[in-house]
Amino acid sequence: MSIKTHILLQKKKKNILELWMKNQLADEGLREDLISNDELRGQSEELINVLVGNLSGDNFTDFDSDEWSPVIEILGGIAITRARQGFSPRETGNFVFSLKEAILEVLQEEIKGDPQTLFTESLKINRLMDNLSIITFETFIKGREEVILRQTDEITEISTPVIRVWDGILALPIIGTLDSARTQVVMENLLQEIVETGSSIAILDISGVPAVDSLVAQHLIKTVSATRLMGAECIISGIRPEIAQTVVHLGIDLSNIITKATLASALAYSFKIMKLEVKRAGAVNKF
Amino acid sequence: MTLSLSKDTIQVTKEQDVVFLKNRVKETAVKIKMGLVNQTRLLTAASELVRNMMRYANGGACIIEVVSSGRANGVRLTFSDSGPGIPDLDAAMRDGFSTGKSLGLGLPGTKRLMNEFNIKSKVGEGTVITIIKWN
Amino acid sequence: MDKIPILRLGAYLLVSIQVDLYDRLALTLEADLVQMVNKTGAKGVLIDISAVSIVDSFMGRIIGNIASMSKILDAETVVVGMQPAVAITLIELGLPLKGVHTALDMEKGMNLLKTMIGDSSGEEDQETDPDYDDTIA
């Protein structure tokens, strides 16, 4: 009987599409703000064409077969696009579920005289469409994860600018928690910038770091050591009193590192190393 | 779950083999677009391990693989030799421990450079070290 | 057998490593350099490693050895131009190269050597070195 079903579905493709579109457009969750009706129709038509065109008598239940890959590809593409556009999981799921309803409705209409066949065929359709829904959800979640990963990358990139405060002096304000992935980015950016600018002093300002535990301290020490290996000096500034307290309480040894309370004093210290003097302009005039 | 995508076995017995091996590791890392710093970590680790293999076991073999965890690609190196083996693995993995005349940074240092590090050794049979650096 | 050329410039010895070191080459360099420091009475050694992409614990040890041996022979050693990736790797490996002076580039390294040596000896080294021969293989 299954042979009849797929031929039936192919014949009734137009009806299914119309019914499906009607279902979708009638749905309260229709997101006209995210997707135009024409575009929705285009997506639906594409999916239904591939799906129905792909059906044959024997691949109905064998979902692992390669013949399904074009369907999965298109469905995956739609799911990923929806994840990026900001559709909710429910709205994305409804896209496939409403198709299932449309197909079942047409099937019911066509084989209403034979309840036994209707039942077995509906079961098959159900199984098929459930599989498709699972794929949709999996891809949808993957799409969302990609968005999250991209944003994480962007945040780490944005939050570590290297500033040239003076000829030969770089400053790097760190804002937020310093974990090992972040340290990696900070260290690489800083060292690369030291090479490019030929700066011999780098100031790492940690005013924006909420807490320093032994792990963060280890990351800082690592950055300072690597800077020194390259032949530049690294000063850590912006150490708040409570951070000084925890550092000592935890027994972290920062004695090999030049530390300053503020960025200003770190800069003053750098000027001294570079034998630079900052004078008030008035003093020159009096002379 | 780690999937192996390509596999390449290189026998290392002479000094020229070491250079060849390093070049192959580098090519593999470049092929999967590994960042420069991670490339350097991987090559340095390979350099440490191949030296150990030459010094203590008179050579051995290295398998270079491109592996995938689904999310990321990486390079897996498996160094195996049929040398004397390491009697005390815990000690060998401690900083500053060495039976030869080196700094004793080889194994623990290599572990710090890698994402994954696995060592199996039997006295009299040999040593197998597997390392992975993810992209 | 390749060798890394050692250039002599006044009271200084210059080495620029342009290839990735393998063990035997590094050992030869160590021996040659110490010989040269002794023979020429050089006060400073400048090693440029800007073209070196890998420094593992063995080569790190050679660099440390060169610095310590030169120090005994009364010469300071400055390593210049280490690549960021190499610096990060060395730190993670646990090899901070204590006792080795570093500078960003040749020029800064030369200045560092001059200030270090200037403290102990006079500035007029050129007069005592009439022979300006450079390469020694």
Side-chain angles (χ1 to χ4, degrees), chain B residues 19-129:
Chain B
V19 178
F20 181 69
L21 172 70
K22 285 183 194 169
N23 287 342
R24 289 309 285 269
V25 173
K26 185 169 177 122
E27 275 166 32
T28 314
V30 169
K31 204 169 66 194
I32 64 163
K33 298 193 174 67
M34 189 179 274
L36 183 66
V37 180
N38 279 348
Q39 261 185 48
T40 310
R41 289 189 179 107
L42 179 70
L43 276 165
T44 310
S47 182
E48 296 288 340
L49 295 180
V50 78
R51 175 174 304 108
N52 278 350
M53 204 159 78
M54 294 291 280
R55 180 177 298 164
Y56 297 109
N58 284 319
C62 177
I63 305 169
I64 306 172
E65 283 169 291
V66 174
V67 289
S68 165
S69 65
R71 191 176 296 274
N73 283 353
V75 175
R76 175 163 67 193
L77 303 178
T78 309
F79 293 86
S80 49
D81 64 57
S82 38
I86 303 168
D88 188 349
L89 266 187
D90 288 339
M93 291 308 295
R94 259 200 309 273
D95 268 322
F97 179 88
S98 172
T99 54
K101 272 189 287 175
S102 70
L103 294 172
L105 290 168
L107 292 181
T110 306
K111 188 176 179 180
R112 277 195 293 271
L113 293 176
M114 290 295 107
N115 296 114
E116 285 171 40
F117 181 98
N118 196 314
I119 179 164
K120 286 194 191 82
S121 188
K122 250 199 183 135
V123 176
E125 286 182 24
T127 305
V128 179
I129 300 178

Side-chain angles (χ1 to χ4, degrees), chain C residues 36-55:
Chain C
M36 277 292 285
V37 170
N38 189 34
K39 207 161 74 185
T40 61
K43 291 284 168 235
V45 177
L46 195 75
I47 306 175
D48 169 39
I49 57 164
S50 56
V52 176
S53 58
I54 303 287
V55 176

Side-chain angles (χ1 to χ4, degrees), chain A residues 20-21 23-31 40 44 47 75 78 82 87-102 129 133 136-137 140:
Chain A
W20 185 20
M21 284 310 294
N23 285 350
Q24 288 193 79
L25 294 177
D27 189 32
E28 278 176 28
L30 178 70
R31 298 295 297 265
L40 182 64
S44 309
L47 179 62
L75 202 56
I78 292 174
R82 294 199 161 206
F87 278 88
S88 73
R90 175 187 290 267
E91 286 150 5
T92 311
N94 266 340
F95 177 69
V96 180
F97 289 134
S98 54
L99 170 61
K100 177 161 105 175
E101 266 168 35
M129 296 310 289
S133 320
T136 313
F137 272 115
F140 180 81

